Amino acid sequence: MTSSILEVFGFGHLKTSPSWGEVPFLCPKILTAQGLRLLQNAQISKVRVLMRYDEALNYISQLSTNISQHRREYMETILGKLRNPHNNLKFIHIAGTNGKGSTANYISNILSSSNYRVGLFTSPHIERWNERIKINNVEIADQDFSEIAGLTKYAVEQMVLEGLEAPTIAQFLTTMALQYFNKMQCDVVVLETGCGGKMDPTNVISSPEVAVITKISLDHTNYFGNSIIDIAKEKAGIIKENTDTVLYPQSEEVTKILLDCCVSKNAKLQQPDFNKLIVMEQNIDRQIFSYKGYKGVEVTLLGKHQIENAIVALEAAEVLIKKGYKITENTIANGLKNTKWPGRVELLCKNPVFILDGAHNLDGIEALASLLKEYFPNKKIIFIYGGLRGKDNEKMIQVLAPLAERFFLIPYNYHRAVPPKEIAEKISSFMDNYKVCMSIEEAIKQSISTSVDGIVCVAGSMYYFKEFKDYFNHKEEKLN
């Protein structure tokens, strides 16, 4: 077969453009082994694979989530079949336990404000898969998503034919994102790791413009080890030879691991000095702070931890300035001010106050509790809580309990969701101000109608946020 443009319809209807003649096979479900062999020598980057958007989403959602199978070699193989799109791109690479998504968005917006074409890859999504892949804050279009998903699936089928396993969701989406950013000729890409570092699919890239490590705490211990040292070593895996590195101030033991890694790799290290932070204004709509020579910087993400994340992004911007990036104090200020990040102390309603937050590990819950104490002193809060399997739900609820008027425990549709009755059994030994709800809508309505101080906060997971957002988008009709 000599044609360079092929069209693959659905999951296997394959033919060439009319000018190239007929293809000698047709398969209604999947590409046949014979068909794949015929195409082994075709340049995959020039193959056009047509999948419907719903087919692409269905295919991706059925892939594995087992991150223990992540290997750099796998990513090198699949990207090699796609002509290594990542080799044409520049990256800011971000790892950490908490704050990496916010920091990624801050940096992306600083660069966008500085007139760069900026790719942004984050996870998870809240409402649509497309949220994970953006350029200058615009989600990848459904058509592009479908086309690149089909192209990636075709490369996967070749690999399976060669005896390799299918990818995880993270591997597949990372591959898609790198193709899209290359296709759209991004000037720079802000690349957030999933939950790892060294073994994360994003770590297939070579030395980035700057590596950023946000706050590290215990999480995903079933994959990376039970100690903070193990977690730190995994996150440090994104630090490469001679890489400029910005490091969020950590505990002494974590800092030592990361500093040792920087020294061993001759990486140039920059750390924020939070002692130079002055918080000037803090309310439910915005925060204003000064840091070093930057005066009156505004952010709309709430909580002191979000100011700290903004400072990490600011320090990363200073590294990029030294590398020749045309970033100014004004574009830094505009980028930080215009950053929105759904599900991070997101205010869905002001009367009553209804907060949606993605805290899902102990460190995140502690940051949330600190914020709520600061913003709502001497107030009692109703918490709507949905737990994730593998998290210390009992301890996280204990952290929130002193602030709580009541807990509403909710069910939701996710494979790692913990049934609310199971959580209730664990917390019944130390509290009784909770109720097991049959649905999210029940929890919303009862929390709003029974709250004494008019404050409701959702926490524990991010995998049910769409239902809350949908509810408040149609609030008037549902409350009546």
Side-chain angles (χ1 to χ4, degrees):
M1 180 166 294
T2 59
S3 61
S4 60
I5 304 281
L6 296 167
E7 292 184 344
V8 183
F9 293 88
F11 284 81
H13 296 80
L14 186 135
K15 67 178 182 180
T16 58
S17 175
S19 60
W20 295 103
E22 297 296 325
V23 173
F25 65 93
L26 180 70
C27 177
K29 294 294 183 184
I30 60 171
L31 292 176
T32 63
Q34 175 197 9
L36 281 171
R37 280 193 291 272
L38 285 170
L39 295 173
Q40 287 295 322
N41 295 323
Q43 293 186 36
I44 294 182
S45 63
K46 292 185 178 181
V47 173
R48 186 179 178 202
V49 185
L50 301 181
M51 294 174 69
R52 293 197 315 270
Y53 180 68
D54 62 323
E55 289 177 329
L57 296 186
N58 184 61
Y59 174 78
I60 293 169
S61 65
Q62 293 182 44
L63 294 173
S64 170
T65 59
N66 181 15
I67 62 176
S68 64
Q69 75 182 62
H70 287 168
R71 298 290 183 274
R72 182 186 176 98
E73 295 76 17
Y74 189 94
M75 291 301 297
E76 289 173 340
T77 299
I78 191 169
L79 289 169
K81 290 185 177 296
L82 296 158
R83 301 181 72 187
N84 296 308
H86 58 304
N87 288 345
N88 302 321
L89 298 166
K90 295 179 180 179
F91 297 96
I92 289 93
H93 202 188
I94 303 176
T97 306
N98 291 314
K100 61 183 186 291
S102 301
T103 304
N105 274 270
Y106 278 137
I107 294 173
S108 173
N109 278 290
I110 288 171
L111 287 163
S112 295
S113 294
S114 305
N115 295 319
Y116 289 96
R117 181 186 290 264
V118 189
L120 176 64
F121 180 62
T122 59
S123 61
H125 63 277
I126 291 179
E127 297 188 59
R128 304 180 75 240
W129 288 86
N130 307 49
E131 295 169 24
R132 300 179 182 226
I133 303 172
K134 298 179 181 179
I135 294 177
N136 289 4
N137 276 325
V138 177
E139 296 174 9
I140 181 173
D142 291 355
Q143 181 177 341
D144 287 325
F145 189 100
S146 305
E147 183 174 320
I148 293 174
L151 190 62
T152 306
K153 177 180 178 289
Y154 173 67
V156 168
E157 287 176 332
Q158 281 200 350
M159 293 170 67
V160 170
L161 186 65
E162 295 165 4
L164 297 176
E165 60 193 357
T168 64
I169 290 176
Q171 288 172 326
F172 193 90
L173 289 172
T174 301
T175 303
M176 281 183 60
L178 294 172
Q179 292 174 82
Y180 180 63
F181 297 144
N182 180 54
K183 173 187 175 183
M184 301 303 290
Q185 298 181 319
C186 288
D187 298 315
V188 62
V189 173
V190 180
L191 201 61
E192 179 199 355
T193 62
C195 54
K198 181 180 179 181
M199 302 308 295
D200 192 80
T202 62
N203 207 33
V204 69
I205 67 170
S206 56
S207 293
E209 298 287 272
V210 57
V212 179
I213 307 236
T214 64
K215 191 172 185 181
I216 294 175
S217 60
L218 281 176
D219 202 6
H220 301 288
T221 54
N222 52 326
Y223 292 113
F224 305 127
N226 292 315
S227 75
I228 194 71
I229 299 300
D230 293 330
I231 305 293
K233 288 178 179 178
E234 170 66 20
K235 307 296 184 182
I238 72 165
I239 301 172
K240 299 182 173 66
E241 292 290 335
N242 302 307
T243 298
D244 287 287
T245 304
V246 175
L247 176 60
Y248 179 103
Q250 312 279 344
S251 67
E252 187 175 336
E253 57 184 345
V254 170
T255 298
K256 184 179 185 308
I257 293 293
L258 298 170
L259 287 176
D260 288 348
C261 181
C262 287
V263 170
S264 68
K265 296 188 177 180
N266 197 32
K268 297 177 282 294
L269 181 66
Q270 187 159 325
Q271 284 187 284
D273 182 357
F274 291 155
N275 292 321
K276 295 181 179 178
L277 164 64
I278 300 172
V279 179
M280 303 167 66
E281 180 182 329
Q282 203 170 35
N283 57 54
I284 204 167
D285 295 310
R286 67 177 185 174
Q287 304 184 95
I288 298 177
F289 68 93
S290 293
Y291 175 72
K292 293 183 177 178
Y294 297 87
K295 307 297 183 183
V297 181
E298 180 179 338
V299 293
T300 57
L301 300 185
L302 302 183
K304 188 177 179 182
H305 61 291
Q306 292 295 7
I307 294 179
E308 292 174 346
N309 292 333
I311 289 173
V312 171
L314 189 156
E315 294 280 5
E318 290 196 339
V319 171
L320 294 173
I321 290 170
K322 292 174 184 176
K323 288 176 170 285
Y325 281 73
K326 305 301 181 184
I327 299 171
T328 68
E329 186 172 336
N330 283 339
T331 60
I332 289 173
N334 288 335
L336 296 178
K337 180 179 179 178
N338 293 324
T339 296
K340 312 292 182 188
W341 192 218
R344 280 69 175 182
V345 195
E346 182 181 1
L347 196 63
L348 295 185
C349 181
K350 285 189 176 182
N351 186 25
V353 172
F354 202 105
I355 295 169
L356 194 61
D357 190 71
H360 59 277
N361 54 44
L362 187 58
D363 189 72
I365 289 290
E366 288 172 345
L368 175 62
S370 177
L371 178 148
L372 293 172
K373 288 178 190 175
E374 191 169 2
Y375 279 76
F376 308 106
N378 304 314
K379 299 289 187 182
K380 287 295 183 180
I381 298 164
I382 287 186
F383 289 97
I384 299 178
Y385 189 93
L388 274 170
R389 187 75 64 194
K391 306 293 182 180
D392 196 341
N393 294 291
E394 183 177 352
K395 188 171 288 187
M396 290 193 286
I397 288 175
Q398 283 179 323
V399 170
L400 297 174
L403 305 175
E405 176 186 336
R406 198 177 191 191
F407 281 87
F408 288 97
L409 307 176
I410 55 171
Y412 61 105
N413 184 26
Y414 185 63
H415 67 281
R416 287 174 54 209
V418 181
K421 286 185 178 180
E422 185 177 322
I423 294 177
E425 290 172 3
K426 289 188 175 182
I427 66 175
S428 60
S429 62
F430 61 86
M431 65 186 299
D432 58 8
N433 57 331
Y434 64 85
K435 178 182 179 181
V436 173
C437 294
M438 300 303 293
S439 69
I440 286 175
E441 184 168 339
E442 177 192 347
I444 295 172
K445 286 185 174 181
Q446 290 206 17
S447 66
I448 290 174
S449 64
T450 62
S451 175
V452 173
D453 288 327
I455 307 166
V456 181
C457 181
V458 182
S461 174
M462 296 177 67
Y463 293 101
Y464 42 65
F465 280 7
K466 185 179 186 302
E467 293 180 64
F468 284 92
K469 284 178 167 287
D470 286 347
Y471 183 93
F472 278 92
N473 285 338
H474 304 90
K475 177 184 172 186
E476 294 302 324
E477 61 192 64
K478 291 197 174 186
L479 286 179
N480 292 326

